[in-house]
């Protein structure tokens, strides 16, 4: 039952926004739940926990109660988002030309576990984001030059925050992965400070911040060409047993 203080809407994830086959891209669904419930340009970071894979093309329940938003399918909790009072650390800025050069070292070019991924998969230009992070020589960073497709805008011509969250997502995994390696996103905490514009060029940067058993940790950021911070995130991935 929905209470008077609880808002409920239906959400279905288009197949375009997939990560692993048959399920939503983790960053995109995290950003979608955040934007739908907490609004864009939020004053604090939002922590999104992915409790279970989100299916595609399926009617799901999006509920917003107080500061918490949840996405469920029946009795199964899929996604939970809450604002957190936390200052996110951003990896160092990498100029766009250096970030673009790093793409030649993208491990996914040799072996990619999820080649259809919306953010980092080998999708046709304009269909996916085609963010291919590779190692930046002399640093502990991976980076890619992001050329924002004109085809990711909403009905008002703006790039939704969910697209920025997707850009922040996979790059933290590739800070760990070698060719063919993979893990599943378990949690993404992010804050978006500025808009991203269709057709614009940005640097997407990430670094590994450690590993504990099957948990992989990373931080990421999106920068404008002059080094202005657009968004920052930290992620927890769960590697296969």
């Amino acid at each position: 039952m929905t209470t008077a203080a609880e808002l409920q809407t239906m959400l279905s994830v288009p197949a375009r926004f997939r990560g692993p086959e048959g399920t939503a891209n983790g960053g995109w669904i995290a950003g979608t739940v955040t934007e739908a419930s907490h609004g864009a340009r939020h004053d604090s970071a939002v922590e999104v926990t992915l409790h279970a894979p989100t299916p595609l093309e399926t009617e799901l329940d999006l509920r917003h109660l107080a500061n918490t938003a949840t996405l469920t399918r029946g009795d199964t909790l899929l996604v939970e988002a809450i604002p957190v009072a936390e200052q996110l650390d951003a990896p160092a800025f990498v100029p766009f030309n250096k970030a673009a050069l790093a793409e030649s070292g993208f491990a996914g070019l040799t072996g990619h576990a999820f080649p259809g991924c919306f953010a980092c998969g080998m999708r046709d230009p304009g269909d996916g984001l085609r963010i291919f992070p590779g190692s930046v020589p002399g640093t502990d960073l991976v980076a890619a030059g992001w050329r924002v497709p004109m085809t990711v805008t909403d009905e008002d011509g703006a790039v939704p925050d969910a697209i920025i969250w997707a850009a922040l997502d996979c790059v933290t995994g590739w800070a760990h992965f070698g060719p063919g390696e993979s893990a599943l996103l378990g949690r993404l905490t992010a804050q978006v400070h500025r808009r991203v514009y269709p057709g614009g060029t940005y640097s997407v940067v990430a670094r590994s911040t450690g590993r504990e058993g099957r948990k992989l940790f990373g931080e990421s950021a999106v920068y404008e060409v002059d080094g202005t911070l657009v968004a920052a995130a930290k992620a927890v991935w769960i590697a296969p047993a």
Side-chain angles (χ1 to χ4, degrees):
M1 177 181 294
T2 302
T3 68
E6 182 182 33
L7 301 177
Q8 179 177 353
T9 58
M10 302 303 294
L11 173 67
S12 179
V13 180
R16 179 187 183 189
F17 300 114
R18 62 190 180 275
E21 287 301 317
T23 63
N25 171 268
W28 186 89
I29 194 62
T32 295
V33 171
T34 295
E35 191 168 8
S37 57
H38 296 95
R41 308 295 102 76
H42 30 79
D43 294 332
S44 66
V46 177
E47 178 186 277
V48 183
T49 302
L50 307 180
H51 292 274
T54 298
L56 306 174
E57 307 287 356
T58 303
E59 284 201 347
L60 308 169
D61 293 313
L62 176 61
R63 293 185 174 91
H64 182 203
L65 179 62
N67 287 330
T68 301
T70 60
L71 185 68
T72 59
R73 183 184 187 186
D75 294 331
T76 301
L77 177 61
L78 304 174
V79 181
E80 184 177 24
I82 58 171
V84 291
E86 182 174 357
Q87 184 69 40
L88 297 173
D89 294 326
F93 171 59
V94 176
F96 179 81
N97 61 335
K98 290 186 177 180
L101 285 173
E103 294 174 24
S104 63
F106 176 47
L109 296 175
T110 303
H112 201 311
F114 307 124
C117 176
F118 173 68
C120 67
M122 308 303 182
R123 302 275 285 271
D124 291 337
D127 182 34
L129 300 185
R130 295 176 61 85
I131 297 174
F132 303 145
S135 296
V136 179
T139 75
D140 62 350
L141 304 173
V142 296
W146 183 25
R147 306 151 188 87
V148 182
M150 301 296 292
T151 55
V152 295
T153 58
D154 59 20
E155 60 273 12
D156 297 322
V159 176
D161 275 13
I163 300 297
I164 305 175
W165 279 68
L168 291 165
D169 166 16
C170 297
V171 64
T172 58
W174 289 108
H176 292 271
F177 303 155
E181 294 181 340
S182 68
L184 294 179
L185 183 67
R187 177 172 291 159
L188 188 64
T189 305
Q191 184 170 11
V192 178
H193 302 283
R194 302 172 66 87
R195 290 185 61 184
V196 159
Y197 293 90
T201 53
Y202 299 83
S203 294
V204 181
V205 186
R207 65 185 173 201
S208 164
T209 55
R211 177 169 187 159
E212 294 179 5
R214 293 172 54 206
K215 292 183 178 181
L216 312 176
F217 303 93
E219 296 173 342
S220 61
V222 176
Y223 287 99
E224 295 183 353
V225 292
D226 65 355
T228 300
L229 180 66
V230 173
K234 69 175 185 178
V236 182
W237 293 76
I238 309 298

